[in-house]
Amino acid sequence: MLPPGGWSRALSYLRLRLTRISDQPHRVARGIACGVFAGCTPLFGLHLPLAATLAWAFRGNVVAALIGTAAGNPVTIPILAVLSLDLGRAILGDGLSLPFGEIMTAFGQAGDEITRNIKALFTPAVAHWDKLAQFGHEVFLPYLIGSIGPALLAAILAYWLSLPMIEAYHSLRARQRAARLARRDTPASGTKED
């Protein structure tokens, strides 16, 4: 599903939000890295709180971290999901691979079971946790373990790519500000001075 206005508008909005963060470049880059790390994990629904917590813990910019979670988007999630799950299963000794559709189906079914079990707390229905336990063992745990490496790599890459760009942008803004002040402080040509 496309965001309102399309992807280019969404990306330009994120760029605008990042350029308006007035913090030290290394803190902004650290925040972006924390957000990218959180966005690459299978903790769907918890990306924003995780990113904010990581940014706070690593003294990064929290707003930049929240923006950095956009790394986990509809374009990257299928690639990350398959890569992370395959890596996690290899680490745990289970070489089975699942296509992206089956991974998302498993997440959907787990969500449905959680919803039914929460409803069972308030109705006479009986809660069943067996499918959720199977999902945790066969999909979620390997995905979580396998996502740590790619998420860490993506976070480091995001930090090292964003830091020089943010420093260059801050330098450009400082030069522009100094030029504006210099123009304002110089008298206009053609005026008489007493």
Side-chain angles (χ1 to χ4, degrees):
M1 183 173 153
L2 288 174
W7 285 107
S8 63
R9 183 173 180 191
L11 291 174
S12 66
Y13 175 75
L14 290 177
R15 182 191 55 80
L16 179 65
R17 292 296 304 155
L18 276 172
T19 58
R20 291 196 174 166
I21 296 173
S22 59
D23 202 349
Q24 299 168 354
H26 67 277
R27 285 180 46 91
V28 175
R30 224 179 291 149
I32 291 170
C34 290
V36 168
F37 180 87
C40 291
T41 65
L43 302 172
F44 304 114
L46 298 175
H47 286 167
L48 295 178
L50 176 61
T53 303
L54 288 171
W56 175 80
F58 287 103
R59 291 188 165 86
N61 186 284
V62 173
V63 174
L66 298 177
I67 293 170
T69 61
N73 60 61
V75 175
T76 60
I77 288 295
I79 299 163
L80 288 169
V82 172
L83 174 70
S84 297
L85 188 61
D86 287 350
L87 185 60
R89 286 182 165 212
I91 291 169
L92 295 173
D94 180 10
L96 294 176
S97 181
L98 286 177
F100 177 70
E102 288 184 33
I103 296 169
M104 290 300 106
T105 299
F107 269 93
Q109 290 171 345
D112 287 344
E113 186 160 317
I114 290 171
T115 303
R116 281 194 304 274
N117 289 338
I118 290 172
K119 287 179 184 176
L121 294 173
F122 304 103
T123 63
V126 178
H128 297 283
W129 296 100
D130 52 331
K131 289 182 184 174
L132 196 58
Q134 181 181 357
F135 162 78
H137 178 70
E138 293 178 1
V139 177
F140 187 76
L141 183 62
Y143 190 164
L144 183 63
I145 290 171
S147 72
I148 293 171
L152 195 55
L153 182 64
I156 291 168
L157 188 63
Y159 179 83
W160 289 112
L161 288 176
S162 64
L163 182 61
M165 289 191 289
I166 295 165
E167 288 172 338
Y169 180 77
H170 280 229
S171 174
L172 174 67
R173 292 287 301 222
R175 285 194 309 271
Q176 289 173 339
R177 193 175 308 114
R180 271 195 314 273
L181 289 173
R183 282 194 307 266
R184 189 176 65 182
D185 291 342
T186 58
S189 61
T191 60
K192 286 186 175 180
E193 292 192 26
D194 292 323

